[in-house]
Amino acid sequence: MNNAELYEKNNTLQKRDALQCLQEYEKKIKWKNFDTIIDIGCGDGGVTTEVLKKFIPSNYKKVIGVDISEKMVQFANEHHGDKRTVFRVMDVENTLPKDFRETFDHAFSFYTLHWIRDQERALSNIYELLTDGGDCLLIFLGHMPVFDIFRQLSRCSKWHPWLKNVDRFISPYHHSQDPEKDVRRTMAKIGYRDIDVQCKRMLCTYKTPEECKKAVAAVNPFKVPKELEDEFLEDYMDIVVDMRFVDEVNNNINHSVHVSAGYTLIVAFARK
Ligand SMILES: C[S@@+](CC[C@H](N)C(=O)[O-])C[C@H]1O[C@@H](n2cnc3c(N)ncnc32)[C@H](O)[C@@H]1O
């Protein structure tokens, strides 16, 4: 999950979902003049600059992308940094930098909060980052077959040594009966207002199994030794086949093999 070059080339799904949600929610965001914006879990910085910044009025003051990974932050600064766009290391589940408290008019987070164990801490921190009246748009995974596949692999003796902590990387909402209620309740407890949480049914489709494999490699959080990585991904894809996510179209005109699976995306919008 630290490899910015790999992530940059294999994050079509994340970019599509960020764009779709921003289009849907852009009217709710109260832009002012000279706004300060934070993107939490910015990764390689591609979504921050190529997707999010397209929605930000041009007279913004500053966009700050933050990520727990130093490598991601370094890559983002090198490839996407400019005078008004900077990337910094920050763990949203930990103590916030002092200069960040009550600083941001808008907080965004795309495809990150499902990695966070202590949801209340992260959501409290986001609240703390916002100025009074500031808003946040948070997009993260609920149920996703990838998590079931990781769990299956962790039961296999070959992979168990590196996947012992598999639960650490499964969305806290993967098995939730009512993720909307769970998120809304936590946000209300913290003090957020105008809370709007939606759980959306989505479909991810990869044109080839290879494309799917690369997308998984780009977000694989487990430290499998380099020489075993290909084998790990092959075993992952075997489970994808067993779970019937692979469709083969074979007719007179064409032959194609694509991978598709349903998942749920949680979209939370609220104000301080
Ligand atoms: C799948 S990437 C998403 C990147 C980008 N937002 C996008 O949509 O393409 C998730 C990112 O969250 C970061 N992350 C994970 N835990 C974090 C934490 N506790 N605080 C900040 N960032 C975190 C990871 O380092 C990774 O770069």
Side-chain angles (χ1 to χ4, degrees), residues 1-2 7 11 14-15 18 39-44 47 66-69 72 90-93 109-112 114-116 168 219:
M1 204 167 43
N2 255 339
Y7 185 76
N11 65 350
Q14 290 88 333
K15 279 192 169 152
D39 180 16
I40 300 154
C42 59
D44 67 311
V47 165
V66 294
D67 201 283
I68 196 170
S69 157
M72 286 289 194
M90 188 193 97
D91 177 358
V92 71
E93 213 177 352
S109 182
F110 306 104
Y111 267 84
T112 295
H114 50 264
W115 298 119
I116 307 293
R168 157 77 187 78
V219 293

Side-chain angles (χ1 to χ4, degrees), residues 3-11 75 214-219:
N3 188 335
E5 285 87 359
L6 183 67
Y7 185 76
E8 183 191 40
K9 292 189 184 80
N10 297 286
N11 65 350
F75 181 96
K214 284 186 186 159
V216 174
V219 293

Side-chain angles (χ1 to χ4, degrees), residues 170-182:
I170 289 178
S171 168
Y173 308 102
H174 182 57
H175 292 298
S176 167
Q177 296 297 312
D178 195 344
E180 289 175 2
K181 194 171 156 194
D182 295 344

